[in-house]
Amino acid sequence: MTLLRNIAFFAVFYGLSVPIVLFVPLSALFGQGALVSYSRFWVLFHRWCTRWLLGIRRRFEGPRPTGQVFFAAKHQSIYETFDLMVELGSPAIIMRREFERIPIWGWAAKRYGVITIDRSASAGALRGMLRQAKLALGQGRSVLLFPEGTRVKVGEQPPLKSGFAGLYKMLALPVVPVASNSGELWPKKGLKRAGTITFRFGDPIPPGLPRDEIEARVHAAINVLDRER
């Protein structure tokens, strides 16, 4: 059954995503708002496919933040890059610059408002990222970062990348950690399994804390579900 579910998901989601992505430039002609709405449609389609083809449900725990915040989320699978886009109200997502090179998708992501980051985390890279983030904030959007830098396996808890602390200082926003256990059902390699993915919102952490403290608190909060396994 698991294999059949994966085959069905691959055929339906990726098969129909090709024409959806090809029509992105057309939606972009009507402005960023139209592109955001179009992206939301794609994410909701992804939700439908994961729920009814893969048998994956989602559960959200913890207090929902209000106003503009800096989300720092655990990253174990591609699932949260889709699902959090809708659940968090279309935030500006910070991604590696390499994604810009993906044909059509990279162009659309920039129009959507994705913030790209250079892995070097140099002062110049951070300033460029801050300019993009401030533009998103000026549009009333929150900012979402996966501070460990890449997808990790279940149980892995690497230190936060240095760019997180720099952005935290410059944005001066409350940080809301988001823990998840998506990798238990959606591994980096292998078949996806049916079940429930949990997202847990941590209490907002105020701006202005010392680097060691903010990194320790966020690291602990986004990994809390790993420690409960």
Side-chain angles (χ1 to χ4, degrees):
M1 177 62 74
T2 297
L3 177 60
L4 293 177
R5 283 181 179 274
N6 277 259
I7 292 173
F9 174 78
F10 186 88
V12 175
F13 177 70
Y14 289 103
L16 292 180
S17 286
V18 172
I20 289 174
V21 172
L22 290 177
F23 275 102
V24 162
L26 179 61
S27 70
L29 295 176
F30 297 92
Q32 187 184 51
L35 185 54
V36 168
S37 296
Y38 190 76
S39 301
R40 182 181 176 85
F41 159 75
W42 188 32
V43 173
L44 292 175
F45 172 58
H46 180 263
R47 273 189 172 184
W48 186 92
C49 290
T50 56
R51 171 64 185 89
W52 298 107
L53 300 179
L54 290 175
I56 294 178
R57 300 173 182 269
R58 64 195 185 283
R59 176 175 61 234
F60 294 91
E61 301 176 348
R64 294 299 185 94
T66 58
Q68 289 178 299
V69 298
F70 181 16
F71 291 103
K74 185 72 178 179
H75 191 18
Q76 292 184 340
S77 75
I78 195 173
Y79 183 88
E80 55 266 12
T81 61
F82 276 93
D83 210 71
L84 290 179
M85 188 188 304
V86 167
E87 198 63 33
L88 303 182
S90 300
I93 305 174
I94 299 177
M95 294 184 175
R96 298 194 305 272
R97 181 158 292 172
E98 290 89 333
F99 287 105
E100 290 184 349
R101 303 192 185 104
I102 301 176
I104 300 179
W105 191 95
W107 173 84
K110 291 294 292 181
R111 294 293 297 269
Y112 169 87
V114 165
I115 301 169
T116 55
I117 181 173
D118 191 326
R119 282 187 170 183
S120 68
S122 63
L126 286 174
R127 285 194 296 269
M129 185 170 56
L130 179 63
R131 285 194 296 270
Q132 297 178 70
K134 285 187 173 180
L135 178 61
L137 294 178
Q139 298 168 343
R141 303 169 77 179
S142 292
V143 176
L144 168 62
L145 172 70
F146 299 104
E148 291 173 330
T150 188
R151 283 183 294 170
V152 299
K153 295 179 180 179
V154 174
E156 291 184 349
Q157 301 180 17
L160 308 188
K161 296 295 185 181
S162 59
F164 165 75
L167 191 58
Y168 164 77
K169 180 179 180 180
M170 291 186 289
L171 288 178
L173 287 173
V175 176
V176 175
V178 185
S180 75
N181 61 355
S182 63
E184 295 181 4
L185 302 181
W186 197 299
K188 294 180 71 173
K189 296 181 180 180
L191 298 176
K192 304 165 184 60
R193 298 184 296 107
T196 300
I197 291 175
T198 298
F199 292 96
R200 183 178 297 174
F201 293 98
D203 292 328
I205 303 173
L209 298 179
R211 176 173 179 170
D212 289 348
E213 182 177 353
I214 185 60
E215 287 186 342
R217 290 179 64 173
V218 168
H219 188 269
I222 67 174
N223 288 295
V224 67
L225 294 177
D226 266 349
R227 293 195 297 274
E228 294 179 358
R229 292 177 61 234

